[in-house]
Amino acid sequence: YSASPAIRNLVDNLEIWINPLANPDGTYGTGNTITSPTRYNASGVDLNRNFPDPFEPSKVYQKETVDMVKFLRNRRFVLSANFHSGAEVLNYPWDRWLNRIHADDSWFESVCRSYADTVHLFSPSSYLNDFNNGIVRGAVWYIIYGGRQDFVTWELQGREVTMEIDDIDQTPAAQLGLLWIY
């Protein structure tokens, strides 16, 4: 496989980190095979809602969250994406505030729109078309507290989006190739 010049430029000139699994308890809670993945860790905590929040300073953080927060604070990523399943939409800050618009809202919307429009060129017309044709500001969808993208964006002044890439919670392995193409 030969990468396009644009991809080669990214790989050669950026520091790229990939974390393939942030919740091993929720993924492999029933053993060495993935049978009933959940968003909760072995302590029953939803790790997707366990990040520092400016208005919940006394929150108890799980070991997985503490380690991820330390990792994120040490590296201070400028751009990041958090991949999920359960919906088909790109979600951008803010998740916490419905009536507060991020100063870079138009940038977030533009990046998400460009990504979604590109996906639409390579996918069926029914894919990634919820909300505003595949994109939504988080709190417009639903409000959450302690989310990672708001933590990265608020505290670390990074820019993170959440990419919900499949409306099936456990994507069948046979469909992963299609999602990559999309």
Side-chain angles (χ1 to χ4, degrees):
Y1 173 77
S2 178
S4 72
I7 299 295
R8 173 62 51 205
N9 184 46
L10 290 173
V11 171
D12 288 347
N13 295 297
L14 290 177
E15 187 172 324
I16 299 172
W17 290 78
I18 299 172
N19 174 20
L21 181 59
N23 184 3
D25 293 347
T27 303
Y28 293 101
T30 58
N32 289 332
T33 58
I34 303 171
T35 55
S36 299
T38 177
R39 58 193 305 146
Y40 301 93
N41 69 358
S43 299
V45 175
D46 181 350
L47 297 179
N48 293 325
R49 312 287 186 270
N50 191 239
F51 281 82
D53 183 290
F55 299 100
E56 295 182 321
S58 60
K59 188 177 203 168
V60 175
Y61 301 108
Q62 298 297 294
K63 168 95 170 90
E64 301 93 330
T65 309
V66 169
D67 290 344
M68 181 59 76
V69 165
K70 181 179 177 184
F71 176 81
L72 292 168
R73 283 178 174 153
N74 284 339
R75 284 160 184 81
R76 313 261 330 168
F77 293 104
V78 176
L79 297 172
S80 56
N82 194 0
F83 287 78
H84 285 228
S85 62
E88 294 175 357
V89 67
L90 275 72
N91 165 7
Y92 57 94
W94 298 112
D95 286 330
R96 178 183 230 298
W97 298 285
L98 183 59
N99 296 319
R100 175 182 271 177
I101 305 299
H102 191 280
D104 293 331
D105 185 74
S106 61
W107 180 88
F108 278 112
E109 185 174 353
S110 174
V111 167
C112 290
R113 171 86 284 125
S114 293
Y115 184 92
D117 288 349
T118 302
V119 166
H120 294 145
L121 295 174
F122 299 96
S123 65
S125 61
S126 60
Y127 183 68
L128 201 71
N129 65 359
D130 288 342
F131 300 98
N132 179 12
N133 202 24
I135 69 171
V136 67
R137 188 167 46 84
V140 171
W141 183 10
Y142 63 95
I143 294 172
I144 69 163
Y145 305 103
R148 182 176 129 167
Q149 84 180 5
D150 278 6
F151 164 72
V152 167
T153 305
W154 177 272
E155 182 178 316
L156 304 180
Q157 291 80 51
R159 291 177 170 171
E160 178 163 309
V161 299
T162 301
M163 303 170 81
E164 301 274 354
I165 61 169
D166 194 356
D167 59 5
I168 300 170
D169 285 330
Q170 185 177 348
T171 304
Q175 290 184 352
L176 293 175
L178 288 175
L179 290 176
W180 177 257
I181 291 169
Y182 299 171

